[in-house]
Amino acid sequence: MYNPRPADLNHICQLAEHYRGIVVDNSATPSFATGQIGQMDYIFNHGNLGIAEAQNRGLNQVLEDNRITHVVFLDQDSRVTTDYPNLITTQYEAIRVRQPQLAMLGPTVVREDCSEEYRSAIHRDIMSEDGFIIRRDVISSGSCVATEVLRKVGLNDSQLFIDFVDFEWCWRAEAKGYICGITSKVQIRHKVGVDELRIGKHTVIISSPIRYYYTYRNYQWLLRRAYVPRQWKIAQGIKQLLRLIYFPFLVKGGCERWKFMVKGLLAGLKKQD
């Protein structure tokens, strides 16, 4: 969580009545006055440590308990039905019968406001009979992973802070012989970004200004890693170059975002610690 709204807190409390779990809070002030919400533990980080480190702190606690077999990740603004964790873990194990090297399974992500599925303009999905679609990378919200896989692949790269954290984990898993993907049989409602820009038939997701700092910095860092897919490096590089050109002219608040892009680019050119 990061500065959650009352509706976010209510949703978390509803899920906490049914499932064991951990709520990790990156807000500046505590969102809950107790260390326990329903069946879930509450970790307050006293500030924004980034999603990677926040998830790692929760995962370290999870991995101390050998009875826990699966983890389902949820962002504060993701909306799911009460039976969602059971649905996604059931699909995970069903797919693992045929795909034993499954690492992370994500749901089909639909827009929060209109239930339209988020789709890539480039990639074409190939779906198996059981609804499984192999994906090079999966967003973490709503995804499921077995704890035995987490122990082998490792935790998040906390230095990335926020952008491409889930993608990097998927690529690292793939380098170790695993596959990731999504299922058409489970959906999650989620809002990506804060706004959208329509250019012809294409939709450009607009994020908050500070996100572009991490997007551009992390891209420079990931360029140097051999396990990061070459196709992604090329496609992302083209996207970032184009944003630098058209954002100041076509996007509301584009000049402010452009400044964060340049700051991130310069920071990324420096060697990662």
Side-chain angles (χ1 to χ4, degrees), residues 11-73:
H11 186 61
I12 291 165
C13 290
Q14 289 173 12
L15 289 174
E17 291 301 316
H18 299 273
Y19 299 98
R20 293 180 61 201
I22 300 172
V23 179
V24 187
D25 193 352
N26 271 343
S27 306
T29 56
S31 301
F32 293 102
T34 176
Q36 193 77 17
I37 304 102
Q39 299 181 51
M40 296 192 184
D41 296 331
Y42 175 61
I43 298 175
F44 175 56
N45 285 336
H46 300 274
N48 190 2
L49 304 182
I51 193 169
E53 178 62 22
Q55 287 185 351
N56 284 351
R57 292 190 175 197
L59 290 171
N60 278 321
Q61 186 169 321
V62 164
L63 295 177
E64 291 176 358
D65 189 341
N66 291 325
R67 296 171 298 175
I68 299 175
T69 58
H70 298 80
V71 174
V72 176
F73 297 94

Side-chain angles (χ1 to χ4, degrees), residues 75-257:
D75 292 346
Q76 66 185 29
D77 56 352
S78 297
R79 294 294 180 260
V80 297
T81 56
T82 304
D83 60 348
Y84 179 86
N86 283 329
L87 292 174
I88 193 71
T89 51
T90 299
Q91 285 300 311
Y92 187 95
E93 286 305 315
I95 293 167
R96 271 222 290 188
V97 172
R98 187 175 58 83
Q99 300 279 7
Q101 289 304 102
L102 179 64
M104 181 173 286
L105 178 69
T108 297
V109 181
V110 298
R111 298 175 187 273
E112 189 178 38
D113 51 355
C114 64
S115 298
E116 177 186 345
E117 182 182 347
Y118 284 100
R119 286 183 177 274
S120 170
I122 301 173
H123 302 291
R124 294 293 175 263
D125 291 334
I126 300 176
M127 187 188 302
S128 62
E129 292 182 0
D130 56 5
F132 179 60
I133 302 167
I134 294 178
R135 287 278 177 87
R136 185 181 60 197
D137 32 62
V138 176
I139 66 170
S140 67
S141 185
S143 67
C144 176
V145 62
T147 51
E148 63 181 273
V149 176
L150 274 169
R151 289 188 171 91
K152 293 175 182 176
V153 176
L155 303 183
N156 297 314
D157 180 351
S158 60
Q159 284 188 301
L160 295 179
F161 196 79
I162 186 165
D163 277 285
F164 309 132
V165 170
D166 38 16
F167 286 14
E168 187 276 336
W169 190 92
C170 291
W171 299 331
R172 193 161 14 109
E174 185 179 18
K176 293 178 180 289
Y178 290 95
I179 62 170
C180 298
I182 65 171
T183 174
S184 64
K185 295 187 177 182
V186 184
Q187 288 189 346
I188 187 173
R189 301 177 72 87
H190 188 67
K191 181 175 176 58
V192 179
V194 297
D195 203 355
E196 293 181 352
L197 172 67
R198 296 277 183 174
I199 302 178
K201 295 181 179 180
H202 299 286
T203 300
V204 178
I205 303 297
I206 308 298
S207 301
S208 60
I210 188 63
R211 288 291 295 268
Y212 291 98
Y213 171 84
Y214 295 107
T215 300
Y216 277 71
R217 186 200 67 175
N218 292 355
Y219 172 70
Q220 294 298 320
W221 286 353
L222 293 170
L223 267 178
R224 302 164 195 163
R225 303 186 187 183
Y227 62 86
V228 175
R230 181 182 298 178
Q231 185 185 22
W232 179 86
K233 291 178 180 178
I234 295 170
Q236 186 61 214
I238 293 171
K239 286 181 182 178
Q240 295 202 357
L241 176 61
L242 291 175
R243 286 195 199 109
L244 283 167
I245 296 171
Y246 73 80
F247 257 55
F249 307 103
L250 298 181
V251 177
K252 184 179 180 181
C255 289
E256 183 185 6
R257 289 170 169 83

